[in-house]
Amino acid sequence: MAAHHINLLFICLYFSLSFIFTKQVQADNYIIHMDHSAMPKAFAGRQSWYLATLSSLSANLIANTNSTIPTAELLYSYNHVIQGFSASLTLAQLEALKNSRGYVSSIRDKTVKLDTTYSFKFLGLSSDAGLWPASGFGKDVIIGLIDTGVWPESESFNDDGMNDVPLRWKGKCESGTQFNSSLCNKKLIGARSFNKGLIANNPSITIAMNSPRDTAGHGTHTSSTAAGTYVGDASYFGYAQGTARGMAPGARVAMYKALWDEGSYTTDVIAAIDQAINDGVDVLSLSFGLDELELYEDPIAIATFAAIEKNIFVSTSAGNEGPDLETLHNGTPWVLTVAAGTMDRSFGASLSLGTDGYVRGAALYPGNFSSTQYPIVFMDKCHKTKELKKLVGMIIVCQDPGKEDSLNDQFSSIQVAGNVAGVFITNSTLLDIFTQSPFPAIFLEQKDGDIVVDYIKTNKNPKASIEFKTTFLGSKPSPIVTSYTSRGPSYSAPSVLKPDIMAPGDSILAAWPLNIGVARLNEDMLFSSFNLLSGTSMACPHVAGIAALLKGAHPDWSPTAIRSALMTTSDPIDNTGNPIEDIGTNLQPATPLAMGAGHINPNKALDPGLVYDATVQDYIDFLCGLNFTPQQIKTITRSSSNNCSNPSLDLNYPSFIAYFNDRNVKPDSNTVKEFQRTVTNVGEGSFIYKASLTAMKGVKVSVEPDTLVFKEINEKKSFKLSIEGPRQLDKTVSFGYLIWEDSQRKHAVRSPIVATSYNIDK
């Protein structure tokens, strides 16, 4: 018996030690931050230093343990985004590296997730006046996208009429699987791919398309949204028919494929950003992000800090995790964070009720449908498939009871039964997954559904016909904040109001690879050169393209000045003249935590009047204000000489957020939150600006001085905004606006103000 226990103990110990050893020798990818000032002079360059450092790790560990350990593998040597490199290391190698000369910090590799041409008209862009002609349609501005690749054969990347590629461009087109460098042209001027991190994380992986070619469609869609050229007769099977074009049709496109069907890792993403900076892009578009990380832990935040230092504007997506608060990513102070809204265009079908008129509903059925009138019957919950199968030759009307999965169950029942068509009466706001139906289906609001049911019940032989492939323009109200767009506050920088702005993100038509299916018709896959997608992924490149236009019109403006111009000229009002509504809160007025400053207005941004600018030192002061350690700040700034003499969380930002969330206070105990701001006059001539404030529930807001006098362009003036309220605010969110309007009524510079009792959960 004792021998049995000893054997069991030995077996347990053996497996425990084997597990520990396996963990020690199993390699993971890490991003390593180094201090370049510590590099020995004997090395000719940084990469040779990195290689020597990694080589010594493996040699020392093998000598000390007398065991086989994987060789530490260098993945990327970064030039701009960080001082350092990425490598595949075991835990033992990582611990040894921490004692190496010049080591600062390390971040384990992480996976990233995507946030998945009428919009130019909805945004007011015109060939005759405004931002398009003023910027030359974005002529020679270079937009870089970190994404899933590109389908170069798309007509959206046609370079007809474009002049030679700017001489300052250092990028290139890389050849690879089914991708030749000759596929690039004067529009698509660069295409590269990055997957060393992906392969190191999955050594046995086979990359299906090892080249910049897009096998997901996302990158083709976003890049053509930002800067696609003119393509006539574009549509999604007859929906959204017209001439498609991107926001900046005269701009150049550079694609950096770092997001793969097989997986996506931060080591590859920041290598792509590093290369984009080196190549000379003017604007970066990033439709992906990482959740709930401090700024010094977020490789994307760190990499984009380097981009801002190089005067590159960065547009990022807020994420698709709404409608709850504190769900957004990319809440980084130095990038623009974009929320998604709807447009005044919808797609659907018309249901004609005999000779009694018609109703309209949502639909994106891609097939052809007979104009013949069919018998129509109301089957209420539509849950009895056997009964439905007896009515194959009829149009079936279903009433969604509004329970969880009830619409999905009805949808499946009609599909299985094989009826002529399904008419679904529902109040659901999540119809995207149903409207692209493989069988004829139309979705009606309750008021229109009631008309249909009444028609059926009051006629002995009710019949109906359906006309699909209809595009409705002028929908009201619009825009509306989508339910899926992620909300603030920012986890990483709660004292900066995020998101920044809203742009079209719902049902966006843009280019698509011809070999990737976009819809099903019964059991057949359908293909198209254009596709409709929704998400903040689609909103982000809209803003990237518009930023490119502003860069073309104002080449001397900094990225922060461009961000300010976009935010302070955005619209908080919809096309009915009322506050923009939020689907995620049952169409209540949208707060800035959902839509930022408002809906983007490109032409107004051309002449904003005043801008809130910020320098790199301002961002360093902000990092110091977050009480980061010198090492954590160094991880972001890549500098050992950071000046923290003026730490402040009060960044010179075109928005305001104050927290009144002290739960351990006496009743009627008030506090005042103060904000200092400096604005720069970018208008030609002299102006006198007067401040006005909208009322906010539960707090009092004041501004001092309330008048700013500018005598010349580029003159700066400062003011203080104060918010007085209870230490514990009753409301979760109260909001209003500060508006600086000049006496000539040429400019109205609007900034959102939020007071909240919300507690950031860290």
Side-chain angles (χ1 to χ4, degrees), residues 369 374-375 391-396 414 418-422 439-441 466 468:
F369 191 77
Y374 294 93
L391 307 170
V392 171
M394 294 186 176
I395 297 173
I396 306 299
I414 300 296
N419 304 104
V420 168
F439 65 91
I466 307 176
F468 287 98

Side-chain angles (χ1 to χ4, degrees), residues 162-369:
M162 298 194 77
N163 58 335
D164 291 339
V165 176
L167 293 176
R168 61 188 172 86
W169 176 241
K170 299 177 185 177
K172 67 176 185 178
C173 233
E174 295 178 348
S175 295
T177 308
Q178 297 183 29
F179 197 100
N180 191 287
S181 61
S182 62
L183 290 170
C184 286
N185 55 23
K186 296 174 183 177
K187 163 61 78 171
L188 179 63
I189 63 174
R192 299 179 186 263
S193 58
F194 303 83
N195 57 22
K196 291 179 182 178
L198 170 63
I199 294 170
N201 268 299
N202 306 273
S204 61
I205 198 170
T206 299
I207 305 295
M209 188 68 68
N210 198 1
S211 74
R213 183 169 290 281
D214 190 1
T215 56
H218 191 276
T220 302
H221 197 280
T222 56
S223 54
S224 60
T225 298
T229 195
Y230 303 84
V231 180
D233 200 28
S235 75
Y236 174 83
F237 303 107
Y239 297 96
Q241 195 156 16
T243 298
R245 72 204 77 180
M247 295 297 98
R252 319 287 180 146
V253 172
M255 176 57 66
Y256 299 85
K257 182 178 177 180
L259 311 178
W260 302 78
D261 291 345
E262 295 83 1
S264 308
Y265 289 88
T266 53
T267 45
D268 296 324
V269 166
I270 68 170
I273 297 174
D274 194 70
Q275 189 63 60
I277 293 172
N278 192 69
D279 289 346
V281 303
D282 300 304
V283 175
L284 273 172
S285 182
L286 312 179
S287 288
F288 53 86
L290 299 167
D291 296 331
E292 294 192 345
L293 292 174
E294 299 292 353
L295 294 172
Y296 57 83
E297 298 174 323
D298 185 345
I300 298 171
I302 295 167
T304 52
F305 187 89
I308 293 299
E309 284 186 307
K310 297 290 184 180
N311 213 35
I312 298 169
F313 182 91
V314 183
S315 178
T316 67
S317 52
N320 299 338
E321 302 299 325
D324 291 339
L325 293 177
E326 201 193 342
T327 50
L328 65 72
H329 49 217
N330 298 315
T332 309
W334 42 85
V335 305
L336 190 84
T337 312
V338 187
T342 66
M343 292 190 292
D344 67 341
R345 176 188 70 181
S346 59
F347 308 113
S350 296
L351 176 67
S352 296
L353 305 172
T355 58
D356 287 11
Y358 67 91
V359 294
R360 290 175 171 176
L364 277 170
Y365 173 64
N368 295 319
F369 191 77

Side-chain angles (χ1 to χ4, degrees), residues 587-598:
L587 300 179
Q588 293 298 306
T591 78
L593 290 174
M595 68 172 181

Side-chain angles (χ1 to χ4, degrees), residues 362-366 380-385 388 396-401 403 405-419 421-426 430-443 468 520 522:
L364 277 170
Y365 173 64
D380 201 4
K381 294 180 181 179
C382 294
H383 60 291
K384 297 180 180 179
T385 306
L388 293 172
I396 306 299
V397 179
C398 307
Q399 174 68 61
D400 175 20
K403 298 179 181 179
D405 294 329
S406 57
L407 181 58
N408 182 63
D409 293 341
Q410 291 180 344
F411 186 85
S412 298
S413 295
I414 300 296
Q415 185 172 12
V416 169
N419 304 104
V423 178
F424 301 93
I425 305 168
T426 179
L430 304 174
L431 293 179
D432 282 0
I433 57 175
F434 298 109
T435 51
Q436 290 178 302
S437 169
F439 65 91
I442 178 173
F443 299 83
F468 287 98
R520 285 192 177 276
N522 298 319

Side-chain angles (χ1 to χ4, degrees), residues 2 13 33 60 68 77 171-172 219 277 350 367 423 425 465 489 523 538 584 600 667 679 688 750:
L13 183 62
H33 298 264
N60 291 339
T68 302
S77 176
K172 67 176 185 178
I277 293 172
S350 296
V423 178
I425 305 168
S465 62
E523 297 303 317
M538 286 61 253
I600 194 167
V679 287
I688 300 174
R750 181 185 288 103

Side-chain angles (χ1 to χ4, degrees), residues 354-655:
T355 58
D356 287 11
Y358 67 91
V359 294
R360 290 175 171 176
L364 277 170
Y365 173 64
N368 295 319
F369 191 77
S370 172
S371 59
T372 302
Q373 288 205 337
Y374 294 93
I376 184 169
V377 60
F378 178 57
M379 294 297 289
D380 201 4
K381 294 180 181 179
C382 294
H383 60 291
K384 297 180 180 179
T385 306
K386 287 184 179 180
E387 294 297 318
L388 293 172
K389 285 183 176 180
K390 297 175 183 178
L391 307 170
V392 171
M394 294 186 176
I395 297 173
I396 306 299
V397 179
C398 307
Q399 174 68 61
D400 175 20
K403 298 179 181 179
E404 186 176 359
D405 294 329
S406 57
L407 181 58
N408 182 63
D409 293 341
Q410 291 180 344
F411 186 85
S412 298
S413 295
I414 300 296
Q415 185 172 12
V416 169
N419 304 104
V420 168
V423 178
F424 301 93
I425 305 168
T426 179
N427 288 320
S428 173
T429 57
L430 304 174
L431 293 179
D432 282 0
I433 57 175
F434 298 109
T435 51
Q436 290 178 302
S437 169
F439 65 91
I442 178 173
F443 299 83
L444 304 179
E445 294 181 358
Q446 189 63 54
K447 60 181 177 61
D448 295 315
D450 291 343
I451 293 172
V452 175
V453 173
D454 182 68
Y455 165 74
I456 293 170
K457 290 181 177 180
T458 56
N459 281 269
K460 292 182 179 179
N461 186 27
K463 290 187 176 183
S465 62
I466 307 176
E467 181 186 354
F468 287 98
K469 302 185 179 181
T470 303
T471 301
F472 307 119
L473 301 179
S475 301
K476 292 183 178 182
S478 67
I480 301 174
V481 179
T482 64
S483 61
Y484 56 76
T485 191
S486 294
R487 270 66 168 172
S490 165
Y491 177 88
S492 58
S495 59
V496 175
L497 177 56
K498 292 283 182 172
D500 294 308
I501 203 165
M502 184 172 75
D506 222 39
S507 297
I508 303 300
L509 183 75
W512 193 256
L514 272 172
N515 67 341
I516 300 176
V518 298
R520 285 192 177 276
L521 185 59
N522 298 319
E523 297 303 317
D524 297 327
M525 183 63 74
L526 299 182
F527 301 87
S528 171
S529 57
F530 283 84
N531 196 9
L532 290 167
L533 293 184
S534 297
T536 55
S537 273
M538 286 61 253
C540 172
H542 274 89
V543 179
I546 293 166
L549 297 177
L550 285 176
K551 190 94 171 178
H554 298 288
D556 57 323
W557 281 8
S558 68
T560 48
I562 292 174
R563 175 178 63 195
S564 176
L566 291 171
M567 290 175 63
T568 61
T569 58
S570 61
D571 295 321
I573 303 300
D574 63 26
N575 60 0
T576 68
N578 294 307
I580 290 174
E581 297 174 348
D582 184 351
I583 295 175
T585 58
N586 296 315
L587 300 179
Q588 293 298 306
T591 78
L593 290 174
M595 68 172 181
H599 192 267
I600 194 167
N601 189 323
N603 291 327
K604 282 186 180 179
L606 179 62
D607 182 18
L610 306 176
V611 296
Y612 295 76
D613 213 342
T615 65
V616 171
Q617 182 58 50
D618 291 329
Y619 292 125
I620 294 173
D621 292 341
F622 183 83
L623 298 175
C624 300
L626 287 169
N627 291 322
F628 289 172
T629 66
Q631 182 172 310
Q632 290 166 344
I633 296 173
K634 184 178 181 179
T635 296
I636 298 169
T637 66
R638 311 175 316 286
S639 173
S640 301
S641 56
N642 296 301
N643 180 1
C644 271
S645 61
N646 186 31
S648 174
L649 293 177
D650 191 17
L651 191 62
N652 195 43
Y653 216 79
S655 58

